């Protein structure tokens, strides 16, 4: 009897330990966020720190967003046309492309690309700084790494996400336009007019903006925390970078469902 | 008061591993104190405890009579501006070049103009022999060069004390000689207090005023270099002379060598 209990304990023990470790990490990530918030006022005193990061986090991601947006828009044009033409309503292509991009694909795909490009870079950068004692060195020079390093990066990620999503949607709409109007012969005026008529600023556009604000917050938080909390070795950085992309992507997809449900509920 | 730092009853663990167990240690003002001990005994950890990067399980670290672990962030940072630390790895900021790394504390904590900053940085870089490397990035430096840049950075604010973590490892004999002289002259001329962690017994004995040897969480031996020469402790003698045999074992506990080699399953 006792040996059974021992076996059960052996099986569930590691599970419990894993649970405790994950909860501890969750707690640390919350404390981390708190310290980031406390440090944000400092960034307003040193705006160039933020601008530098805006460049490396935001501007360097634009090209990827541009290319991805174009292709996603073109596919939407193709698929949309082929579905709509069955119902003789290909003139609504503009509505379909516009709504899909602004409400869903714009924020979501941008966030996923952001996690892969900017998020992983942030994680690796902080992980490397930790491994090479740079955080300790800053501390010893009486410089708070949260104020100097982490808060500016957080703000940069937070602010660039909605802008990147807007660029993605805009580029995508032109991609759909190119395929639908130029290649497949949808009426030029109808494409724009239908879109203008049915995409509502508050209902649709702002919903997309809210989503990308939330995604920007979460994806940047995860990327920075994974880097700051990484095991300070080269494998540790590698693992943290992978984790950062995976966790941020999953969080974005799950949050997208919750946000969509909430928004449809309240509209 | 002649002691800048007084450590009393210091205990510290990494997880379940005891690194320090009730250690008392004094650092005399204006002197060079050396900390020695086998690799992995916690010398770096001791420096981090002194500068409050780590918090002890119990005990006090009094710097100028104040327990550094009781200070709030603002007071702690004020204190750290007066402490320089040379990290074992150098710990230069990788996105800044050599000049900017050394200028960093000045830019953060002073309102000096560009001309003055340039002047001060070049003086410090010249002292460590790397004025010509001012425009290089940290990735373009060797380990020994990086550590010398870090030394220039550590002294750029003219601190009251400096902690050197293995300043000599990775230095060729010439740089080593220069560094030893530099540490000694800085200590004597700039009214500094120096703490050196090092394995280089001969070099350190030449300049240190007092030596602590730590191992297994305790202070095994202490004294002035001449006194340690005469030590009766077999342990300290073996460590200082670098003898393979004695009370300290070079080998990690293992089964008998022959049995291990020729054992067949
Ligand atoms: N973050 C950590 N978590 C757990 N154990 C640690 C950690 N950092 C250091 N240790 C352990 O603490 C001990 C002391 O480390 P420390 O770096 O202070 O040694 P050291 O005396 O400076 O060694 P060396 O001469 O090789 O630099 C080591 O045995 C190490 O295994
Ligand atoms: Mg060490």
């Amino acid at each position: 009897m006792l040996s059974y209990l021992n076996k059960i304990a052996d099986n569930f023990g590691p599970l419990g330990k894993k649970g405790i470790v994950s909860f501890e990490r969750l707690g640390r990530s919350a404390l981390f966020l708190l310290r980031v918030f406390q440090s944000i006022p400092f960034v307003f005193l040193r705006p160039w720190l933020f601008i530098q990061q805006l460049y490396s986090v935001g501007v360097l991601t634009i090209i990827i967003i541009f290319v991805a947006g174009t292709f996603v828009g073109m596919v939407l044009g193709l698929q949309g046309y082929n579905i709509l033409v069955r119902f003789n309503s290909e003139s609504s292509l503009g509505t379909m492309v516009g709504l899909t991009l602004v409400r869903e694909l714009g924020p979501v795909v941008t966030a996923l690309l952001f996690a892969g490009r900017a998020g992983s870079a942030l994680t690796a950068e902080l992980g490397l700084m930790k491994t090479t004692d740079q955080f300790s060195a800053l501390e010893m020079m009486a410089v708070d790494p949260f104020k100097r390093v982490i808060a500016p990066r957080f703000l940069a990620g937070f602010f660039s996400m909605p802008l990147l999503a807007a660029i993605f949607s805009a580029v995508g709409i032109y991609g759909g336009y190119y395929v639908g109007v130029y290649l497949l012969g949808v009426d030029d005026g109808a494409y724009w007019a239908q879109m203008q008529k049915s995409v509502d600023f508050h209902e649709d556009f702002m919903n997309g903006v809210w989503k990308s604000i939330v995604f920007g917050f979460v994806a940047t938080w995860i990327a920075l925390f994974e880097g700051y909390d990484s095991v300070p070795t080269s494998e540790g950085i590698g693992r943290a970078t992978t984790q950062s992309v995976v966790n941020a992507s999953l969080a974005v997809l799950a949050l997208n469902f919750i946000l969509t449900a909430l928004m449809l509920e309240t509209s | 008061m002649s002691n800048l730092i007084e450590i009393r009853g210091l205990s510290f663990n990494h997880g379940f591993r005891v690194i320090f167990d009730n250690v008392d240690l004094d650092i005399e003002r204006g002197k060079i104190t050396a900390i020695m001990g086998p690799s992995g005994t916690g010398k770096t950890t001791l420096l981090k405890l002194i500068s409050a990067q780590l918090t002890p399980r119990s005990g006090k670290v009094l710097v100028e009579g104040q327990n550094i672990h009781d200070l709030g962030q603002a007071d702690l940072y004020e204190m750290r501006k007066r402490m320089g630390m040379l990290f074992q790895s150098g710990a230069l900021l990788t996105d800044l070049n050599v000049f900017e790394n050394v200028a960093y504390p000045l830019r953060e904590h002073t309102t000096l103009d560009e001309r003055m900053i340039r002047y001060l940085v070049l003086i410090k870089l010249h002292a460590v022999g790397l004025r010509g490397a001012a425009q290089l990035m940290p990735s373009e430096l060797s380990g020994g060069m990086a550590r010398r840049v870090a030394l220039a950075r550590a002294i750029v604010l003219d601190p009251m004390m400096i902690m050197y973590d293995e300043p000599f490892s990775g230095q060729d004999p010439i740089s080593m000689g220069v560094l030893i002289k530099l540490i000694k002259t800085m200590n004597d001329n700039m009214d500094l207090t120096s703490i050196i962690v090092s394995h280089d017994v001969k070099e350190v004995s030449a300049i240190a005023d007092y030596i602590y040897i730590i191992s297994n969480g305790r202070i095994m031996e202490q004294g002035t270099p001449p006194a340690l020469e005469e030590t009766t402790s077999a342990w300290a003698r073996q460590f200082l002379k670098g003898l393979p045999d004695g009370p300290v074992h070079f080998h990690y506990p293992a089964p008998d060598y022959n049995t291990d080699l020729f054992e067949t399953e």
Side-chain angles (χ1 to χ4, degrees), chain B residues 8-63:
Chain B
R8 292 291 173 265
L10 184 76
S11 299
F12 181 79
N13 291 19
H14 264 311
F16 291 111
R17 208 174 144 213
V18 177
I19 308 289
F20 292 113
D21 182 23
N22 201 12
V23 165
D24 292 341
L25 192 150
D26 292 327
I27 308 287
E28 207 178 327
R29 195 186 291 272
K31 295 283 165 62
I32 298 179
T33 306
I35 315 265
M36 295 185 176
S39 190
T41 40
K43 301 180 298 296
T44 301
T45 308
L46 181 66
L47 295 186
K48 289 191 169 176
L49 284 164
I50 291 176
S51 52
Q53 295 171 62
L54 293 171
T55 313
R57 180 159 54 82
S58 63
K60 287 189 279 195
V61 176
L62 302 173
V63 181

Side-chain angles (χ1 to χ4, degrees), chain A residues 129-140 232, chain B residues 5 7 10-14 19-20 25 27 35 41-57 60-61 63 67-69 76 79-80 83-91 161-166 195-197 214:
Chain A
M129 289 186 80
K130 185 173 179 183
T131 313
T132 52
D133 281 332
Q134 291 184 55
F135 288 135
S136 309
L138 285 173
E139 277 281 344
M140 278 312 294
Chain B
I5 296 176
I7 297 177
L10 184 76
S11 299
F12 181 79
N13 291 19
H14 264 311
I19 308 289
F20 292 113
L25 192 150
I27 308 287
I35 315 265
T41 40
K43 301 180 298 296
T44 301
T45 308
L46 181 66
L47 295 186
K48 289 191 169 176
L49 284 164
I50 291 176
S51 52
Q53 295 171 62
L54 293 171
T55 313
R57 180 159 54 82
K60 287 189 279 195
V61 176
V63 181
N67 187 358
I68 192 162
H69 297 283
L76 179 61
M79 187 68 92
R80 282 187 184 158
M83 294 179 162
M85 175 149 175
L86 178 63
F87 283 84
Q88 205 165 354
S89 58
M161 69 172 263
I162 305 195
M163 294 176 275
Y164 303 91
D165 197 353
E166 314 266 1
I195 305 176
I196 303 185
V197 165
I214 56 176

